[in-house]
Amino acid sequence: MSNISEHQQPQQNGGGIPIQNHQQNSNSHTPTTTQQKTVSIPLQSLPFRPSTLTALLRSGFSTTGDVMNSCHTELVPTNNVDTNTNNNMMNTETNSNTNTNNNNKSYDNFAKELGCSTTQAADYAHEIDDALGSIGLPKVSKSQQNTNGENVDSSNQTDNNIMAPHQPIFSATAASILRSKAINHFPMNGNNQAPAPAAKQVVSFSQALDVLLGGGFALSELTEIAGLPGVGKTQLAMQLCVNSRLPTTSGGVQGCAVVIDAEGSWSGAAGGDRLWSMANALSDHVKLSASRKLARSKEGMPQGSTTNINEESIPNWFSPEFILGGIHIFRVHDEASQTCTLYNLPKFLLELEQKGTPVKLVVIDSLAFHYRVASSSTSSSNIGNGNSTKSNSLSTTHNLTRMAAFLTELASEFDLAVVAMNHLTSRIEKDGNNNKSGTKLVPALGESWAHSVTSRLIIDHYRQLHATDGSMDEVRTCTLVKSPHKPSGTSLFKITDKGIRGVSPQLLQSQSQATKRARVD
């Protein structure tokens, strides 16, 4: 299991980011400007899109200095440069044409090393420039010289209209997006045929809940689970982490899980014991299912005949130790370390992907905890200062919206499920006359966050009288209140010593009968 102690400070804070001075190398290529020292920081410490960071890391770029050296390197040998003074005398028209061409050629080497088009390389460089500018550091893109010999930033040689975007926005058809996703997530084999798609959901072991969600918690999506304390949010998240290790032969996604533990429920001894009991139950379930499948295959077969299923198909390697070995837990103690850890996840995910153990689930338990603690402490210190409180609220909303966009793209880029836990908070309800009419429990973090998540689940619990022996069963309800592809609905599940399980048909029947009696009465 991992912890946060080795991570860097968040990129919002200028201090704490390791900075190194690099001297531009002028031996193999001709420098176009005066040699200068450049500031180099790790790329994973900057707020990039996951797709941008992944493309840079896969091409061998680890710092902004690497990117700057690539952008400042021209594909022109030194011996091709004429140093005569007469050749340096150029008229205004020639300078203008040269500057226009250099705007496109300045990223040729960067594009070649990335294996992409010059336009795409320029977009990457501009995104790095924006990230560096947000913390007051110089840009990596190459500056051009105008007719007066003054350095001009090539990234800003566009329309002066302030409403014009910094980067061109290109459209894409739905078909092209679908093809791109299929190629990235299901690469062609040696016969130029796409393999059979694997499971696209992480199952919960509650059939009713999985049916409600269309098979389980979907990959490439951001799902929010909200509920009161003690309702079972962490228990459900633990079951999902254990089930993410389920082999594909058993209907699972066969991946790893990453947990951002903000409340400490996972890092303590109790959390480890609970994960062990769930992993042990899953291991026994898979081995028992394989044994039953082997027994059924041998029934009714003539003596001496063979079958494709044998004793070797029973996965004895699928042990609790193997399951827990793929669940990586990061303990974060404040908002800064939580933000830093989340923005550094792409590099960690890429490392595991290169090792052949891709991550299929990221759990944040809970995203709201540190934000609400920081908000309450700030509010208490700014009593009477309304402007400061409003500014902090807007800053939190901006950070949450940005975080939601980052997590959504992270889920899509790495084809994994992101599950974020959230709290419930009281909201004051008002009538038509703007008078207080009561309070209502709603998920925390505000409306901007609610619009950013793909799906929203709200968990509640109640005690149900068992019809046979009169005992009380504590049943959880899971209500799907938001989904772009599934209708709203409610399902039931239980929390047992083995983990999350579905509700028995007898209990469902007793609940139906109790509902009918209540209507008659």
Side-chain angles (χ1 to χ4, degrees):
M1 295 185 182
S2 305
N3 54 48
I4 193 61
S5 59
E6 298 178 357
H7 280 63
Q8 300 169 3
Q9 294 297 321
Q11 66 280 0
Q12 286 85 348
N13 187 358
I17 298 179
I19 299 178
Q20 300 174 351
N21 290 329
H22 292 270
Q23 186 76 21
Q24 184 176 351
N25 186 3
S26 59
N27 295 331
S28 59
H29 299 281
T30 302
T32 58
T33 60
T34 305
Q35 294 183 0
Q36 58 181 352
K37 290 185 178 180
T38 62
V39 178
S40 179
I41 64 175
L43 293 176
Q44 63 268 20
S45 65
L46 295 173
F48 295 134
R49 295 176 299 168
S51 56
T52 300
L53 183 58
T54 303
L56 294 172
L57 294 177
R58 284 175 175 170
S59 300
F61 295 95
S62 59
T63 66
T64 55
D66 298 336
V67 177
M68 184 176 291
N69 291 334
S70 180
C71 291
H72 287 206
T73 300
E74 294 184 358
L75 300 177
V76 179
T78 305
N79 55 11
N80 289 341
V81 179
D82 190 357
T83 58
N84 292 332
T85 305
N86 293 334
N87 290 339
N88 291 331
M89 303 296 296
M90 304 178 66
N91 56 37
T92 303
E93 180 180 0
T94 305
N95 280 336
S96 176
N97 294 335
T98 303
N99 288 336
T100 303
N101 293 332
N102 284 342
N103 290 341
N104 296 328
K105 293 182 179 180
S106 58
Y107 300 108
D108 284 348
N109 185 70
F110 188 38
K112 181 179 179 181
E113 294 184 0
L114 285 173
C116 65
S117 64
T118 306
T119 302
Q120 183 63 53
D123 291 342
Y124 287 146
H126 295 161
E127 185 174 350
I128 299 173
D129 289 342
D130 292 339
L132 290 173
S134 65
I135 56 178
L137 293 180
K139 299 181 179 182
V140 300
S141 58
K142 182 180 177 182
S143 60
Q144 306 295 336
Q145 290 187 347
N146 57 17
T147 56
N148 298 326
E150 299 175 348
N151 289 337
V152 179
D153 188 359
S154 62
S155 62
N156 292 329
Q157 290 182 352
T158 57
D159 192 358
N160 292 327
N161 182 8
I162 62 175
M163 297 301 294
H166 294 287
Q167 300 180 16
I169 301 177
F170 302 99
S171 63
T173 64
S176 64
I177 295 175
L178 188 61
R179 285 195 299 269
S180 176
K181 184 176 181 180
I183 293 174
N184 292 334
H185 296 162
F186 307 107
M188 298 295 180
N189 54 26
N191 299 326
N192 290 328
Q193 296 179 351
K200 296 297 294 178
Q201 295 90 12
V202 180
V203 296
S204 66
F205 272 16
S206 171
Q207 184 177 5
L209 178 56
D210 291 337
V211 170
L212 177 67
L213 300 177
F217 288 76
L219 304 184
S220 302
E221 292 185 4
L222 170 59
T223 302
E224 176 196 34
I225 301 178
L228 292 171
V231 78
K233 301 187 298 295
T234 300
Q235 298 268 1
L236 178 57
M238 287 182 173
Q239 186 68 65
L240 293 177
C241 288
V242 170
N243 291 352
S244 67
R245 304 286 289 152
L246 195 64
T248 55
T249 55
S250 300
V253 294
Q254 195 169 346
C256 295
V258 171
V259 180
I260 310 299
D261 183 16
E263 301 183 5
S265 303
W266 300 69
S267 304
D273 292 341
R274 187 55 174 152
L275 284 171
W276 175 269
S277 62
M278 290 183 176
N280 192 37
L282 177 63
S283 176
D284 293 341
H285 170 79
V286 170
K287 294 176 182 179
L288 181 60
S289 298
S291 300
R292 290 176 177 173
K293 190 175 182 180
L294 176 61
R296 287 195 302 267
S297 65
K298 292 182 177 181
E299 291 180 357
M301 295 187 63
Q303 186 176 4
S305 60
T306 60
T307 176
N308 293 330
I309 304 176
N310 50 41
E311 283 76 6
E312 295 181 356
S313 63
I314 300 178
N316 293 322
W317 51 268
F318 193 71
S319 61
E321 293 84 358
F322 173 82
I323 296 173
L324 298 183
I327 301 177
H328 306 271
I329 300 175
F330 293 81
R331 178 70 171 103
V332 294
H333 297 275
D334 51 37
E335 180 187 352
S337 59
Q338 175 176 289
T339 303
C340 176
T341 304
L342 288 172
Y343 281 128
N344 278 275
L345 272 184
K347 181 182 180 181
F348 181 72
L349 300 180
L350 186 60
E351 290 176 355
L352 292 182
E353 183 181 279
Q354 293 173 347
K355 294 178 181 178
T357 55
V359 173
K360 290 299 180 182
L361 176 66
V362 173
V363 172
I364 310 171
D365 188 15
S366 67
L367 184 66
F369 181 74
H370 290 309
Y371 280 106
R372 299 188 72 187
V373 171
S375 176
S376 60
S377 61
T378 303
S379 300
S380 60
S381 62
N382 292 329
I383 295 177
N385 191 349
N387 293 333
S388 179
T389 302
K390 183 177 180 180
S391 176
N392 292 330
S393 177
L394 292 175
S395 176
T396 300
T397 301
H398 173 75
N399 291 337
L400 283 171
T401 305
R402 183 179 176 183
M403 180 65 69
F406 174 83
L407 293 175
T408 301
E409 189 168 355
L410 184 77
S412 177
E413 177 69 20
F414 288 93
D415 192 31
L416 53 84
V418 177
V419 179
M421 305 298 155
N422 196 1
H423 299 165
L424 291 183
T425 186
S426 297
R427 184 178 67 187
I428 299 176
E429 297 289 326
K430 295 185 178 181
D431 56 18
N433 297 325
N434 202 25
N435 296 323
K436 181 179 178 180
S437 61
T439 59
K440 180 182 179 181
L441 286 176
V442 296
L445 301 182
E447 294 295 331
S448 298
W449 167 261
H451 288 294
S452 301
V453 299
T454 309
S455 301
R456 165 173 280 183
L457 300 172
I458 296 181
I459 299 179
D460 199 357
H461 60 89
Y462 65 94
R463 293 184 179 275
Q464 174 66 40
L465 178 63
H466 203 283
T468 56
D469 56 3
S471 61
M472 300 294 291
D473 286 333
E474 189 171 358
V475 180
R476 265 70 174 182
T477 64
C478 184
T479 303
L480 178 63
V481 297
K482 177 190 176 184
S483 176
H485 44 70
K486 289 296 175 183
S488 300
T490 301
S491 64
L492 303 179
F493 67 91
K494 294 192 304 181
I495 299 179
T496 68
D497 56 345
K498 296 182 179 181
I500 302 297
R501 295 295 183 268
V503 178
S504 63
Q506 294 81 2
L507 184 58
L508 292 176
Q509 184 178 3
S510 64
Q511 180 192 16
S512 177
Q513 293 175 354
T515 303
K516 291 181 180 179
R517 288 195 299 269
R519 290 178 179 176
V520 172
D521 295 341

